[in-house]
């Protein structure tokens, strides 16, 4: 199949904002009309070309990713490469009747009304299974919560095998659509009883639900469709993150099966708090010791900041022990990107044992204040 720059919408006769259902309906109608073995017109050759064109258009427009690509660029990469790997449309949509039928579930629906015994009605390809999630944890410091941090995580995961595009088949081509389920991975059984028609759907036994039979296993992955890789991902820890929070990094888990998406990476964050700080929401608490004379006469004190460095706090004259001062916007930023919380400073007053010289001066103050002190 050569790369082409056709207008797939025009080929199917649908508008650019046609729904999936519209596209499906248009495709079914055209396939009925143009299938070379059903075509009533004079030129079989033209019918064949037209039929291929219809298939190509449907293959692109019925696939979310390919359709988006086509909408954006007006064409879809190398058709040969998207035939493989996606799991939806294995094999090459060639001209012969059996091959076409094997590849395109929808053709079955059209010609046999979807009621062939043992065959499934489902139009989806083989059951796509999402990859497993991976869990990791990081330890960061309080200053990282204030400033944000990028960490690079490195771990082993399963990636889609490049050699077979995740099909598990040599070269990504040496497989056939499962004849039992016609590639759907499911088998629908219908039986009639006194009460009416019953149907039940179960995974196909012939292909174990994969929808395909591998003729020759991929030598790189041994037929699993994935291989181990050392994966590296740079994770931005958002400012304001709470201790114990979990971040979801989409698509960095293990490879899926049958074209299913990758799982996610979950990173749990532990924040190592310096002993002097305590966090409550976006506010931080710290305590600071000053001398009783400083408390009485007023002072300035250097308060440690969570991001490092200090900020000067003015302690007014006559400050009682355990007074709490609020330093605005020096706490933790809100995780939604809002303003920072506050830094609350609790002042401890150290009195200590006075020297003999201090004692004499304090006795003078005691006289002045008529304080009841021991001699
Ligand atoms: Zn099967
Ligand atoms: Zn492989």
């Amino acid at each position: 199949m050569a790369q082409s720059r056709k207008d797939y919408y025009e080929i199917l006769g649908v508008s650019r904002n046609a729904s999936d259902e519209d596209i499906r309906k248009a495709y079914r109608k055209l396939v009925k009309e143009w299938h070379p073995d059903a075509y009533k017109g004079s030129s079989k050759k033209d019918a064949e070309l037209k039929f291929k064109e219809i298939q190509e258009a449907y293959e692109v427009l019925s696939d979310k990713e390919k359709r988006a690509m086509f909408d954006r660029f007006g064409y879809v990469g190398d058709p040969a490469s998207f035939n493989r790997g996606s799991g939806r449309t294995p094999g090459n949509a060639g001209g012969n009747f059996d091959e076409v039928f094997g590849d395109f579930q929808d053709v079955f629906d059209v010609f046999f009304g979807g009621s062939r015994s043992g065959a499934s009605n489902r139009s989806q390809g083989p059951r796509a299974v999402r990859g497993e999630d991976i869990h990791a944890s990081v330890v960061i410091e309080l200053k990282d919560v204030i400033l944000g941090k990028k960490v690079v995580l490195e771990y082993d995961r399963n990636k889609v095998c490049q050699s077979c595009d995740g099909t598990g088949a040599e070269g990504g081509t040496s497989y056939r659509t499962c004849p039992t389920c016609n590639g759907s991975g499911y088998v629908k059984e219908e039986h009639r009883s006194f009460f009416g028609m019953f149907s039940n759907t179960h995974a196909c036994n012939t292909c174990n639900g994969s929808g395909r039979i591998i003729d020759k296993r991929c030598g790189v992955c041994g037929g699993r469709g994935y291989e181990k890789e050392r994966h590296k991902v740079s994770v931005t820890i958002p400012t304001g993150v709470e201790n114990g929070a979990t971040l979801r990094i989409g698509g960095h888990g293990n490879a899926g099966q049958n074209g299913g998406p990758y799982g996610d990476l979950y990173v749990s964050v532990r924040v190592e708090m310096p002993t002097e700080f305590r966090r409550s929401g976006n506010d931080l608490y710290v305590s600071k010791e000053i001398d009783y004379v400083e408390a009485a006469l007023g002072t300035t004190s250097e308060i440690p900041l969570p991001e490092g460095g200090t900020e000067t706090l003015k302690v007014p004259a006559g400050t009682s022990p355990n007074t709490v001062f609020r330093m605005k916007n020096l706490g933790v930023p809100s995780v939604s990107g809002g303003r920072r919380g506050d830094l609350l400073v609790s002042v401890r007053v150290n009195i200590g044992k006075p020297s003999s010289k201090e004692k004499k001066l304090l006795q003078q103050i005691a006289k002045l204040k008529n304080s009841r002190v021991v001699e």
Side-chain angles (χ1 to χ4, degrees):
M1 206 188 287
Q3 182 168 318
S4 55
R5 299 204 176 203
K6 299 162 188 158
D7 185 342
Y8 295 136
Y9 291 101
E10 208 177 291
I11 291 166
L12 292 187
V14 294
S15 71
R16 297 191 83 80
N17 48 24
S19 69
D20 291 350
E21 189 53 34
D22 294 341
I23 287 167
R24 205 172 133 78
K25 273 186 190 154
Y27 169 73
R28 280 162 164 256
K29 191 172 154 276
L30 288 168
V31 154
K32 240 181 210 171
E33 198 176 319
W34 288 97
H35 192 282
D37 289 16
Y39 184 64
K40 302 280 190 292
S42 53
S43 173
K44 287 262 180 205
K45 192 80 205 150
D46 286 356
E48 228 163 73
L49 284 173
K50 179 80 183 167
F51 185 63
K52 275 188 196 173
E53 212 173 56
I54 293 161
Q55 287 177 342
E56 193 183 321
Y58 182 66
E59 201 178 323
V60 169
L61 297 186
S62 63
D63 183 303
K64 227 180 178 157
E65 263 171 46
K66 288 175 205 163
R67 185 177 174 181
M69 204 174 184
F70 178 72
D71 286 345
R72 243 180 110 190
F73 303 108
Y75 68 97
V76 178
D78 167 20
S81 74
F82 68 64
N83 269 339
R84 297 185 276 119
S86 76
R88 265 201 86 258
T89 52
N92 191 318
N96 93 54
F97 193 82
D98 285 347
E99 214 177 293
V100 168
F101 267 36
D103 286 353
F104 287 87
Q105 189 66 36
D106 284 343
V107 181
F108 268 117
D109 294 355
V110 172
F111 279 84
F112 297 99
S115 61
R116 262 168 55 118
S117 70
S120 160
N121 276 342
R122 300 166 72 101
S123 60
Q124 306 95 306
R127 192 167 45 106
V129 181
R130 191 177 162 278
E132 285 162 20
D133 297 327
I134 291 176
H135 296 263
S137 62
V138 294
V139 179
I140 60 167
E141 295 176 59
L142 177 59
K143 71 171 168 49
D144 302 328
V145 177
I146 315 298
L147 305 169
K149 189 180 170 87
K150 265 199 166 61
V151 292
V152 175
L153 296 176
E154 214 183 320
Y155 52 94
D156 290 328
R157 73 160 182 177
N158 297 334
K159 68 161 182 176
V160 172
C161 174
Q162 302 292 301
S163 177
C164 64
D165 272 335
T167 59
E170 185 68 42
T173 51
S174 118
Y175 60 81
R176 295 170 277 134
T177 301
C178 171
T180 308
C181 62
N182 302 307
S184 71
Y186 287 98
V187 171
K188 189 171 171 185
E189 275 181 349
E190 286 184 339
H191 50 97
R192 202 179 289 278
S193 85
F194 180 73
F195 301 101
M197 195 70 150
F198 287 85
S199 72
N200 96 55
T201 303
H202 59 83
C204 172
N205 287 328
T206 312
C207 63
N208 289 321
S210 72
R212 41 174 111 92
I213 308 286
I214 293 177
D215 291 323
K216 187 162 183 245
R217 284 177 191 285
C218 168
V220 176
C221 66
R224 289 189 309 265
Y226 60 83
E227 51 182 336
K228 280 254 180 286
E229 72 161 347
R230 193 76 182 155
H231 184 65
K232 237 185 191 181
V233 58
S234 171
V235 176
T236 303
I237 312 280
T239 58
V241 70
E242 293 258 11
N243 181 39
T246 301
L247 310 173
R248 190 178 68 89
I249 318 296
H252 288 274
N254 282 313
Q257 286 170 35
N258 298 325
Y262 276 85
D264 299 329
L265 171 69
Y266 285 90
V267 181
S268 72
V269 181
R270 192 157 69 79
V271 181
E272 205 134 74
M273 288 292 275
T275 47
E276 66 260 44
F277 288 102
R278 197 167 56 76
R279 178 175 178 176
S280 171
N282 292 327
D283 290 334
L284 285 172
Y285 291 81
V286 69
S287 75
K288 181 72 187 180
E289 187 177 278
I290 58 171
D291 187 85
Y292 72 95
V293 186
E294 292 170 342
L297 299 177
T299 184
T300 55
S301 183
E302 292 305 308
I303 308 300
L305 294 178
E307 65 265 48
T310 60
E311 180 76 27
T312 306
L313 172 70
K314 277 189 185 153
V315 181
T319 291
S320 304
N322 304 319
T323 302
V324 175
F325 294 94
R326 184 178 285 269
M327 298 177 84
K328 287 246 175 223
N329 303 319
L330 292 177
V332 173
S334 100
V335 79
S336 52
R339 70 167 206 98
R340 280 176 77 166
D342 300 330
L343 180 60
L344 292 126
V345 185
S346 162
V347 170
R348 284 181 290 117
V349 178
N350 180 22
I351 295 167
K353 202 172 161 65
S355 68
S356 57
K357 205 168 177 185
E358 286 172 353
K359 218 169 172 179
K360 275 186 187 133
L361 290 167
L362 285 169
Q363 276 159 356
Q364 285 181 30
I365 297 169
K367 258 184 206 144
L368 195 73
K369 295 185 72 173
N370 280 326
S371 302
R372 283 163 50 100
V373 295
V374 288
E375 287 300 311

